[in-house]
Amino acid sequence: MNIHTLLDRYRVDDGKRFRLKDHDPGDCAGLSIEKAEAKRLLADGVERLAKLQEVLYAQDRWSVLTIFQAMDAAGKDSAIKHVMSGINPQGCQVHAFKVPSAEELDHDFLWRTTRALPERGRIGIFNRSYYEEVLVVRVHPELLERQQLPPDLVSKRIWGHRFAAIRAHEQHLAESGYLVLKFFLHLSREEQRRRFLERLGDPEKLWKFSLGDVAERRHWDAYQEAYEDAIRETAAPHAPWFVVPADQKWFTRLVVMAAVVDGLESLKMTYPTVPPEKRAEYDKARIELEQE
Ligand code: AMP
Ligand code: MG
């Protein structure tokens, strides 16, 4: 199986018929790869990504925005860590979006992420994003009350408005030279339980656990519905979702890596060349250096 057929299983670029239950969190595309083999494939990907990143930076035209969304313990942090391990930190910007600050709440919901968009030539990573505004805020509508919106604008229709705003925003990004790739790490409920228990039982992992995580888990079904709806409403060819099986970490990393590499390759970038009118000057510089 090549990387394109692999990715086709997980890419959603038209949400109309999308249903989360058609996607198995434990899927690994029939690959049963030895740990060493998975590591090698990942290292391969890291190497290709490093080369692509260099052209991206040199060419300085496109920006890449990768968005990571998932339930707790789905492996967002570790996917980000592994996928980005080989690339030049100068060309990469990671932002984690937490509970909004008072200043952030005093602005529209796209403000804080817009300020954090990657510059041209860079890869931006959003660990959570404006999608929280149709996920956690939808599951806990009381969060809307903290947003200081004029009361007339707060009704059941707000989610539809937010989806429309996100669609328009991502369309605008695509038309401005952003490659937008969105990842939902799809974890099963049972695997989340297992990982929470592992965190509770390991002094070196305990810091990752918070009591709030168990509280959120109680809203599992509401979250799954919110994710399904968000993907249905916002999947597009210029801003696809990848619904990545998350029960097996090695596979999650491979799919994310493949999607980022494939996305960058689709840009068909080349290194900038010397413009014809500058040729002569470059030749002069070369001769001067050679004769020194
Ligand atoms: P963590 O990523 O585990 O550090 O947790 C960050 C927390 O911030 C999560 O519980 C998110 O649901 C929450 N969060 C992120 N963005 C928003 C938002 N826009 N509104 C409310 N909560 C948010
Ligand atoms: Mg957490």
Side-chain angles (χ1 to χ4, degrees):
M1 179 177 330
N2 69 26
I3 138 176
H4 300 286
T5 19
L6 177 74
L7 287 175
D8 282 347
R9 286 169 83 96
Y10 309 115
R11 182 194 282 105
V12 183
D13 52 21
D14 174 2
K16 245 181 255 135
R17 270 180 280 279
F18 176 73
R19 282 180 318 182
L20 207 45
K21 71 174 167 53
D22 295 337
H23 291 253
D24 173 10
D27 180 31
C28 49
L31 298 175
S32 54
I33 301 184
E34 298 281 314
K35 251 202 162 149
E37 172 78 351
K39 271 204 168 137
R40 197 186 56 72
L41 279 174
L42 194 66
D44 240 40
V46 170
E47 209 174 292
R48 279 165 77 187
L49 183 55
K51 289 198 181 117
L52 286 160
Q53 186 206 10
E54 254 181 53
V55 200
L56 178 80
Y57 194 87
Q59 193 189 41
D60 204 16
R61 290 290 184 273
W62 291 95
S63 336
V64 179
L65 174 63
T66 58
I67 293 179
F68 289 84
Q69 290 289 161
M71 298 297 285
D72 288 305
K76 278 189 282 109
D77 294 15
S78 89
I80 292 170
K81 183 169 101 184
H82 280 80
V83 171
M84 299 305 158
S85 59
I87 70 178
N88 184 346
Q90 291 220 68
C92 176
Q93 302 162 340
V94 188
H95 290 270
F97 295 98
K98 310 274 178 186
V99 177
S101 68
E103 188 191 19
E104 288 166 350
L105 287 174
D106 265 341
H107 294 83
D108 72 277
F109 81 94
L110 290 171
W111 182 76
R112 69 170 174 165
T113 46
T114 301
R115 300 171 86 208
L117 285 171
E119 303 160 59
R120 287 189 205 287
R122 314 289 165 104
I123 299 176
I125 298 166
F126 283 2
N127 185 344
R128 304 184 190 271
S129 65
Y130 43 81
Y131 279 100
E132 291 293 328
E133 294 289 336
V134 290
L135 296 166
V136 67
V137 182
R138 200 169 182 193
V139 173
H140 299 283
E142 65 275 13
L143 291 173
L144 262 184
E145 278 156 39
R146 299 185 47 221
Q147 296 194 352
Q148 313 269 40
L149 291 159
D152 286 354
L153 300 181
V154 181
S155 73
K156 279 220 149 41
R157 287 166 47 208
I158 195 164
W159 312 115
H161 293 155
R162 287 194 168 180
F163 287 134
I166 290 173
R167 282 194 297 266
H169 181 59
E170 290 177 349
Q171 177 89 39
H172 166 71
L173 292 180
E175 285 163 1
S176 311
Y178 289 82
L179 172 71
V180 182
L181 303 171
K182 305 177 290 192
F183 297 95
F184 170 51
L185 308 192
H186 184 29
L187 182 72
S188 71
R189 194 168 183 193
E190 178 52 25
E191 181 61 18
Q192 189 197 51
R193 190 178 77 94
R194 215 191 50 74
R195 290 184 191 174
F196 281 172
L197 284 170
E198 194 180 311
R199 289 178 176 186
L200 282 166
D202 180 345
E204 288 186 9
K205 288 190 176 161
L206 191 59
W207 65 274
K208 293 188 194 174
F209 182 82
S210 98
L211 287 172
D213 295 348
V214 173
E216 286 320 287
R217 179 180 164 79
R218 292 187 201 115
H219 301 282
W220 184 271
D221 292 342
Y223 270 109
Q224 300 296 304
E225 274 172 41
Y227 270 108
E228 181 174 82
D229 217 26
I231 293 168
R232 289 180 73 102
E233 293 280 346
T234 63
H238 57 268
W241 276 102
F242 293 87
V243 178
V244 186
D247 280 6
Q248 309 205 53
K249 285 200 163 189
W250 66 268
F251 191 67
T252 310
R253 292 168 197 154
L254 268 189
V255 174
V256 172
M257 170 65 78
V260 178
V261 168
D262 188 60
L264 277 161
E265 280 176 347
S266 74
L267 300 178
K268 309 226 180 307
M269 297 175 292
T270 52
Y271 281 99
T273 51
V274 183
E277 69 275 14
K278 286 255 168 86
R279 260 283 133 74
E281 282 173 65
Y282 274 62
D283 283 344
K284 255 173 76 186
R286 186 171 44 77
I287 290 164
E288 185 184 324
L289 289 166
E290 280 169 357
Q291 289 177 347
E292 209 176 85

